[in-house]
Amino acid sequence: MAHKQSMVWTFIITSVALFMVTLDNLVVTTALPVIRVDLHSGLSGLEWTVNAYTLTFAVLLLTGAALGDRFGRRLMFTIGLSIFTLASAAAALAPTIGALDAARALQGLGGAIVLPLTLTILSSAVPAERRGLVLGAWGGISGLAVALGPLVGGAVVDGVSWHWIFWLNVPIGLVLIPLAARRLQESYGPATRLDLPGLGLASAGLFGIVWGLVRGNSLGWASPEIVGALVAGAALLAGFVAWELRTETPMLPMRFFRNRTFALANVASLFMYFGMFGSIFLLAQFFQTVQGYSPLGSGLRILPWTAMPIIVAPIAGALSDRIGGHILMGTGLLLQATGLAWIAGVSAPTTPYSELVIPFILSGAGMALFFAPVANVVLSAVRPKEEGQASGANNAIRELGGVFGVAVLASVFAQYGGYGSGATFTDGMTPAVYLGAAVVALGGVAALAIKRQVQRAAAPEAVLDPA
């Protein structure tokens, strides 16, 4: 009875924390047009409002998991919640776009500590026979939080102001911090020391590439600053891979990628987030900037997309162990790609909303089919003691997909259109969303290429083949 009660508390605390941290990925999207006017920001500043969070989040996720393994998962979980809560207050009080972006980066630090630990803490508290169902619920909550971000953001901006999309995190954090300290069991992982050189190389390399992508249109793609940033970023990432291959304690073991399931599941995650984040960054603005709806009106019109995970994700989670999570993931990504391509094909300044409902439903159903099984598919490819690193790697890779999606699709948008009029906005949005759909479709192909294999004994340092 005591164990069951502990498991329930663990599920509640980790689920609320997961929802809050993941929600902040996209909660600002429907507030972007208001923030653009209020803080006198351009496209670059708006991109960083999203990417300052997701880039910091992605780069530090692996370190967050390692900190939990070394110093205690419950301890680092409560520290991460504290950082996230303080940063949310700073974002709410931000007087300029620069201050807001800095606070969003600090939020990303807190979120990077919290998110991977929700999975490892929850996984260790659940019996093996319930693992597929519970991890499916974890994936569904994560997907629901991403999906509800635009609606929650729109409702809060309309009802109060954009500042309150950040203030809302503060009371939730203040309740969760003491609950986590009291109710969660402390646990540790196998890590003995942090991979600081790897962290430095990955952080600098990714920042250089994203900086170049975000500023390329405004400065010119052939300018020394942009070329230098992109080349230096790529060189630093190559150095990161070389370092991870030779160090004894890598934050991202490259041997994981020798496993077919792990490698293809992460490719699918990268491409899914690329298309979804990049597309919703533009679509959330389309309803306000082009069609004149309020932030809440914009969020409500995306509701057929955002509501589908509530219906589909629990079913998909329960079915994933029977029919194969990779089949659900691949089918989901192809559905979402179809929905996005449909949206791109019919979008115009005067497009009636009725023409967007069905593609939004397809996109939402596809997103739910992907989110529910992905955690279990990834963790099936590694040893139990390596789950912290594996979950951190998967979350980092998919968040990086979101970073690159926003940067690349915004760049395409700026190349072909802009904010000058409804027509110029859709001129830029259409090719960008088509590109997002194509990348998501490639992710679907990668997911369907995962095959079930018979589990066999592995060498001490090998990764297990999935069952």
Side-chain angles (χ1 to χ4, degrees), residues 381-409:
V382 301
R383 298 173 179 275
K385 70 177 183 179
E386 295 170 329
E387 287 177 353
Q389 283 183 306
S391 64
N394 178 246
N395 283 301
I397 288 167
R398 68 185 195 178
E399 292 299 327
L400 287 174
V403 171
F404 289 120
V406 171
V408 172
L409 297 198

Side-chain angles (χ1 to χ4, degrees), residues 42-111:
L43 178 62
S44 176
L46 292 184
E47 287 181 69
W48 282 115
T49 303
V50 177
N51 280 345
Y53 181 82
T54 49
L55 181 59
T56 310
F57 194 41
V59 170
L60 297 175
L61 271 170
L62 293 167
T63 301
L67 286 170
D69 288 346
R70 182 176 184 183
F71 297 110
R73 291 164 180 160
R74 181 183 64 186
L75 173 63
M76 293 312 304
F77 182 78
T78 55
I79 290 174
L81 281 174
S82 301
I83 294 171
F84 186 86
T85 303
L86 287 171
S88 296
L93 294 169
T96 65
I97 192 69
L100 176 60
D101 292 347
R104 290 281 287 164
L106 190 59
Q107 271 191 313
L109 167 61

